Amino acid sequence: MNNIYEELIMSIGESKLSGVDPNKNRFKKMLDERELDRRKEDYKSIIYILDIIFNPKGVFANLLKQGYFFVLCDKDGYVIKQIYDQKLKDYFSRLHFVEGVSLRIEDCGTNAINIAMKLKRQVEICGTEHYCHLFKIGIVLQFRL
């Protein structure tokens, strides 16, 4: 199966079978600080490159000002780097959307990260295509490197 929409349908079923609450209002499952630091160390070269690319004076900084945000996850679906404009800081805090949080299907249902992990390629889905309501605000662009 390589079609995003076929995977969306399968993933929604998997989310339901996993018992994920679609009405959850915050992210809960996360790595402890020590494990997050270890995983960040594994990805330090990619994180370094992202810091250069999204430098506030760089070309890609405009994407952040337009409301886009970017998430780097490790191979297991844990967020190890977030890049966003400070306007999103309070919103992300309310959701507990922080580095170390799990975006695995069994922890937060269908989302672009876990579909990208399955398909092993970049994925973009709309907010309404996510399983949990906390993802359903606007269009969300997410990808896994």
Side-chain angles (χ1 to χ4, degrees):
M1 183 181 322
N2 205 15
N3 181 314
I4 290 174
Y5 294 104
E6 290 174 6
E7 187 57 47
L8 269 171
I9 292 166
M10 295 296 293
S11 182
I12 289 169
E14 190 175 343
S15 298
K16 288 180 180 183
L17 289 173
S18 295
V20 176
D21 178 6
N23 297 311
K24 69 189 296 175
N25 58 6
R26 64 190 315 246
F27 296 90
K28 294 179 182 168
K29 172 78 174 177
M30 69 180 299
L31 300 169
D32 64 43
E33 192 173 328
R34 191 171 169 184
E35 181 62 18
L36 175 60
D37 288 343
R38 187 192 68 72
R39 291 180 189 220
K40 281 184 167 189
E41 182 64 26
D42 291 344
Y43 287 83
K44 70 181 176 186
S45 58
I46 295 173
I47 291 171
Y48 176 75
I49 291 168
L50 289 173
D51 286 341
I52 291 171
I53 291 172
F54 289 100
N55 177 314
K57 296 177 183 175
V59 175
F60 292 104
N62 283 332
L63 289 174
L64 302 177
K65 291 176 185 171
Q66 293 174 33
Y68 286 92
F69 66 93
F70 299 87
V71 177
L72 174 68
C73 289
D74 68 4
K75 64 181 178 54
D76 299 319
Y78 287 94
V79 175
I80 57 171
K81 176 74 175 171
Q82 294 175 309
I83 302 167
Y84 57 88
D85 189 80
Q86 289 300 303
K87 294 175 197 170
L88 292 173
K89 186 176 183 175
D90 289 339
Y91 178 66
F92 285 175
S93 286
R94 282 194 313 272
L95 297 177
H96 197 247
F97 186 53
V98 296
E99 292 177 356
V101 76
S102 171
L103 294 179
R104 299 176 310 163
I105 194 164
E106 60 268 26
D107 297 321
C108 60
T110 302
N111 62 69
I113 297 295
N114 53 55
I115 291 176
M117 289 170 56
K118 283 185 179 180
L119 298 179
K120 298 188 183 334
R121 64 184 174 106
Q122 182 175 322
V123 171
E124 179 180 347
I125 63 175
C126 295
T128 57
E129 295 170 326
H130 292 84
Y131 182 73
C132 288
H133 297 293
L134 60 89
F135 285 113
K136 293 186 179 192
I137 298 173
I139 294 178
V140 178
L141 173 66
Q142 304 173 358
F143 61 92
R144 183 178 80 72
L145 294 176

